[in-house]
Amino acid sequence: MKFFQRRFIVDVILDSKELAEPELKTFTENRVKCSLKRLFWLVRKIKIRYSAVPQSKTLCNQNCLIELQTFDHQTIEVSVTARDKRTALEMGLKKVYKHVQKIFHKAQKYGRMSRHVYV
């Protein structure tokens, strides 16, 4: 008996004011897919924007804004500031995962969605 893996098609959009490095782009896409792997099917579109915080008095001067759209068109926005872009992305994805879990559990609790919904 063969088990087929379901492939998920999600738009991961990397938006940056300065030119994005190809290494950073692939890292971002891989981290998003890896960190949201259990709830990835709930997500339609993820938009990630990196920016530098001007006139920062601390070492934390890289900002990462994650905007996520779920299957039922709910929008989640999380903004995190950290020392570098990778750390900001990791921290932001942890927060996003918690919010997506809450939405999933609420939808199941109130009967808006079954366990076996496929987008």
Side-chain angles (χ1 to χ4, degrees), residues 21 23-28 31 50 62 64 82-93:
E21 307 149 6
E23 181 182 304
L24 181 65
K25 184 176 181 178
T26 57
F27 174 78
T28 301
R31 284 309 305 153
Y50 293 113
Q62 295 295 323
C64 179
R83 288 183 186 208
D84 60 349
K85 294 176 182 177
R86 293 173 187 240
T87 307
L89 177 68
E90 292 287 334
M91 292 168 50
L93 287 174

Side-chain angles (χ1 to χ4, degrees), residues 44-119:
R44 284 186 189 249
K45 182 168 63 170
I46 301 170
K47 188 174 184 179
I48 299 172
R49 181 178 299 146
Y50 293 113
S51 62
V53 178
Q55 301 171 349
S56 176
K57 294 181 181 178
T58 63
L59 290 175
C60 298
N61 62 355
Q62 295 295 323
N63 192 22
C64 179
L65 176 75
I66 301 173
E67 185 178 325
L68 181 132
Q69 187 178 26
T70 61
F71 69 99
D72 56 350
H73 301 289
Q74 290 187 11
T75 303
I76 300 171
E77 289 185 20
V78 174
S79 180
V80 176
T81 304
R83 288 183 186 208
D84 60 349
K85 294 176 182 177
R86 293 173 187 240
T87 307
L89 177 68
E90 292 287 334
M91 292 168 50
L93 287 174
K94 285 180 186 177
K95 286 184 178 182
V96 163
Y97 187 79
K98 288 180 183 178
H99 287 293
V100 171
Q101 267 186 327
K102 284 181 186 177
I103 288 173
F104 177 66
H105 290 304
K106 275 187 179 179
Q108 272 191 330
K109 182 178 179 182
Y110 296 113
R112 286 181 252 164
M113 183 179 91
S114 73
R115 268 188 202 171
H116 307 290
V117 171
Y118 297 105
V119 178

Side-chain angles (χ1 to χ4, degrees), residues 30-45:
N30 291 336
R31 284 309 305 153
V32 166
K33 290 176 183 176
C34 181
S35 66
L36 296 176
K37 63 184 169 187
R38 290 186 188 158
L39 298 176
F40 203 65
W41 60 275
L42 289 171
V43 178
R44 284 186 189 249
K45 182 168 63 170

